[in-house]
Amino acid sequence: MIENALSQDPVPGDEYTRPQFARAALLTIDMQADFVSGPHAVPGTERIVPAVARLARTFRDAGRPIVHVVRLYLPDGSNSDSCRRSLIAAGAGLVAPHSPGSRLADGLAPDGAAPLDPGRLLSGAAQPLADGEHVIYKPRWSAFHHTPLRRHLDDLGVNTLVVAGCNYPNCPRATIYDASAHDYRLVLAEDATSGFTEHARPEMTGISAWCLTVAAIGRHLRAGDEATA
């Protein structure tokens, strides 16, 4: 049954780049209220919230790790990218620690999860939300830049990353390139990533980051889970 499902819906790549879903983790990028709605919302991000939430539920059901990677801009802008520092310092209040706009998008966190803990996150520690599910703060575009992500994934035995969230040209793209440099097998959830267009597909496939739908990822994740049972 598993072989038949995979033959009809083959996993892309070769022996070096083919995703291994039984060793996969999900990264959601910058899926926070301020980027979903309001004056600083990123176009297209509100539309993908249900798909990202569905993907997270699929990973939970499969017992695979999830890391929600977030921004927390200090009021003086000192920890923001230089291109946003003036905006934050001028009082934008974008994803400010403890603000409603910094919370994860509705429906994304697991049931009963505690609110984000800015003190813990800004210190460089991962915050657990549930068994196998954590939040990590990133100070720049890539989720690997000065964060504990690589160590966290290594501790979990992860070799495949599924990336989704906000906003393809910036943080997901930077994260995928850094992940490629660390030799992870890579999947971009194309219908759960704002800013993704068909122009992005050849760029991603050019570095063996495979663009798959949430539905296809779910099928492969379930098949991989069954194959190791």
Side-chain angles (χ1 to χ4, degrees), residues 150-161:
R150 177 67 190 275
R151 183 174 67 252
H152 181 78
L153 296 172
D154 284 350
D155 288 345
L156 295 170
V158 167
N159 74 351
T160 297
L161 296 180

Side-chain angles (χ1 to χ4, degrees), residues 15 22-23 29 34 36 39 46-47 50 52 62 77 83 95 128 183 202 216 221 227:
E15 61 180 309
R23 296 182 62 188
I29 309 291
D34 274 343
V36 171
E46 186 171 20
R47 178 179 55 79
V52 180
C83 63
V95 290
D183 295 330
L221 193 65

Side-chain angles (χ1 to χ4, degrees), residues 33-57:
D34 274 343
F35 298 129
V36 171
S37 61
H40 302 290
V42 176
T45 302
E46 186 171 20
R47 178 179 55 79
I48 67 162
V49 170
V52 180
R54 188 164 63 251
L55 190 57
R57 288 194 298 271

Side-chain angles (χ1 to χ4, degrees), residues 125-145:
Q127 177 188 344
L129 295 183
D131 187 28
E133 191 160 353
H134 292 76
V135 181
I136 285 175
Y137 156 77
K138 65 177 174 64
R140 293 294 182 269
W141 310 113
S142 170
F144 289 92
H145 182 81

Side-chain angles (χ1 to χ4, degrees), residues 3-93:
E3 287 184 5
N4 187 48
L6 292 180
S7 65
Q8 294 176 6
D9 192 13
V11 182
D14 59 19
E15 61 180 309
Y16 303 106
T17 66
R18 186 176 298 116
Q20 296 179 348
F21 288 92
R23 296 182 62 188
L26 171 64
L27 301 185
T28 78
I29 309 291
D30 293 349
M31 289 301 295
Q32 294 166 268
D34 274 343
F35 298 129
V36 171
S37 61
H40 302 290
V42 176
T45 302
E46 186 171 20
R47 178 179 55 79
I48 67 162
V49 170
V52 180
R54 188 164 63 251
L55 190 57
R57 288 194 298 271
T58 300
F59 268 75
R60 287 185 200 115
D61 291 345
R64 297 307 307 158
I66 300 171
V67 180
H68 304 285
V69 188
V70 300
R71 294 279 197 156
L72 292 168
Y73 290 140
L74 297 174
D76 63 359
S78 59
N79 69 334
S80 68
D81 311 86
S82 57
C83 63
R84 290 180 175 166
R85 201 157 294 171
S86 293
L87 174 70
I88 306 303

